[in-house]
């Protein structure tokens, strides 16, 4: 049945659905991680509980990434180069890993005022949503993938700008141990923004080669 589906996709000029499903599964796990971080800084989930839940989410993301690698080995049709798909998957994995580090370090550092990270996490979720739409459009509307990628890239850029303002605020005050812990947390979110931008570049570069 799986082989027949792939032959059908080949004849239609479409990518194997398994590739898209694995990428979307990775992005869904990553979005769960972002929402968990948001719930943690809002106090809806405790730091210890968030740390434990993130382990399961990270495991799910790793499973979907492994699934993608297996799908690429046997895929008959891919809409963009396999190298770009692998690069996209790796960047998505970097987003989730950095969110994991943010939650873990929040658990360890116990920084009191974390609600100020809300705008950064808002942009993280916007960026992940744009990447998800880009993957869906790879199969359905390849011509608009670049537009979706640009939205993700803008979100990554917004995160980096917010990071710069946060660092300026932190360094304008006394550099206490608490301030340095806060700097480490905001740095984790800046790394998330960079990874979102890398993922956007991967899918945009792949679409340009078509």
């Amino acid at each position: 049945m799986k082989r027949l589906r792939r032959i059908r996709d080949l004849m239609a000029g479409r990518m194997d659905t398994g590739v898209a499903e694995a990428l979307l599964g990775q992005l869904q796990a990553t979005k769960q991680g972002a929402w968990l971080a948001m719930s943690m800084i809002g106090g809806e989930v405790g730091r210890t509980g968030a740390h434990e839940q993130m382990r399961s989410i990270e495991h799910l993301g790793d499973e979907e990434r492994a699934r993608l690698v297996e799908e690429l080995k046997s895929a008959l049709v891919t809409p963009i180069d396999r190298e770009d798909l692998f690069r996209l998957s790796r960047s998505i994995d970097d987003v989730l890993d950095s969110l994991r580090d943010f939650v873990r370090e929040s658990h360890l550092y116990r920084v009191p005022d974390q609600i100020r990270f809300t705008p950064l996490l808002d942009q993280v979720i916007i960026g992940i949503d744009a990447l998800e739409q880009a993957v869906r459009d790879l199969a359905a509307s390849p011509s608009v993938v670049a537009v979706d990628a640009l939205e993700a890239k803008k979100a990554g850029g917004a995160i980096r700008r917010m990071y710069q303002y946060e660092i300026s605020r932190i360094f304008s005050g006394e550099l206490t141990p608490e301030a340095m812990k806060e700097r480490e947390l905001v740095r984790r979110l800046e790394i998330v923004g960079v990874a979102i931008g890398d993922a956007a570049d991967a899918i945009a570069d792949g679409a340009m080669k078509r």
Side-chain angles (χ1 to χ4, degrees):
M1 196 63 193
K2 186 175 182 180
R3 183 171 180 78
L4 287 173
R5 183 189 69 190
R6 286 185 161 161
I7 292 172
R8 177 202 66 200
D9 287 346
L10 176 63
M11 294 176 67
R14 297 194 302 267
M15 74 169 161
D16 283 315
T17 55
V19 172
E21 288 166 1
L23 281 170
L24 289 171
Q26 238 192 307
L27 284 162
Q28 286 160 12
T30 304
K31 192 189 297 186
Q32 285 181 40
W35 277 113
L36 176 63
M38 185 74 86
S39 298
M40 180 193 69
I41 67 169
E44 295 151 27
V45 178
R47 297 175 209 249
T48 302
H51 179 49
E52 293 170 353
Q53 288 181 48
M54 187 60 89
R55 289 197 194 112
S56 298
I57 293 172
E58 183 188 14
H59 182 65
L60 177 60
D62 289 343
E63 285 182 341
E64 293 295 340
R65 178 158 164 71
R67 177 184 167 198
L68 174 76
V69 172
E70 289 304 311
E71 290 287 345
L72 285 175
K73 288 179 182 177
S74 57
L76 297 173
V77 178
T78 59
I80 59 177
D81 288 350
R82 281 169 167 76
E83 292 84 356
D84 291 317
L85 286 169
F86 188 82
R87 180 178 152 210
L88 170 60
S89 175
R90 183 181 60 208
S91 296
I92 296 168
D93 188 53
D94 289 343
V95 174
L96 182 54
D97 284 351
S98 296
L99 286 168
R100 173 207 61 201
D101 291 342
F102 173 78
V103 169
R104 177 190 293 157
E105 289 173 12
S106 173
H107 169 66
L108 292 172
Y109 299 160
R110 303 285 167 172
V111 173
D113 180 21
Q114 296 190 113
I115 200 68
R116 68 176 309 108
F117 299 138
T118 300
L120 287 93
L121 282 168
D122 278 338
Q123 289 299 315
V124 169
I125 292 167
I126 289 170
I128 295 169
D129 282 341
L131 291 172
E132 188 175 19
Q133 188 58 51
V135 171
R136 294 186 190 282
D137 285 336
L138 274 176
S141 306
S143 61
V144 301
V145 169
V147 176
D148 302 327
L150 181 59
E151 289 303 309
K153 189 78 173 177
K154 286 179 180 177
I159 293 165
R160 290 194 294 276
R161 285 192 299 277
M162 290 178 189
Y163 162 76
Q164 291 166 350
Y165 283 116
E166 285 297 309
I167 289 297
S168 175
R169 177 188 61 81
I170 291 168
F171 284 177
S172 66
E174 184 181 356
L175 295 181
T176 63
E178 289 303 311
M180 297 311 293
K181 290 177 183 178
E182 192 174 352
R183 175 194 176 278
E184 288 301 307
L185 288 179
V186 77
R187 170 63 178 153
R188 285 297 168 200
L189 294 179
E190 194 261 347
I191 294 171
V192 172
V194 171
I196 287 172
D198 289 345
D201 287 341
I203 201 165
D205 291 349
M208 286 292 291
K209 296 176 189 175
R210 288 175 58 88

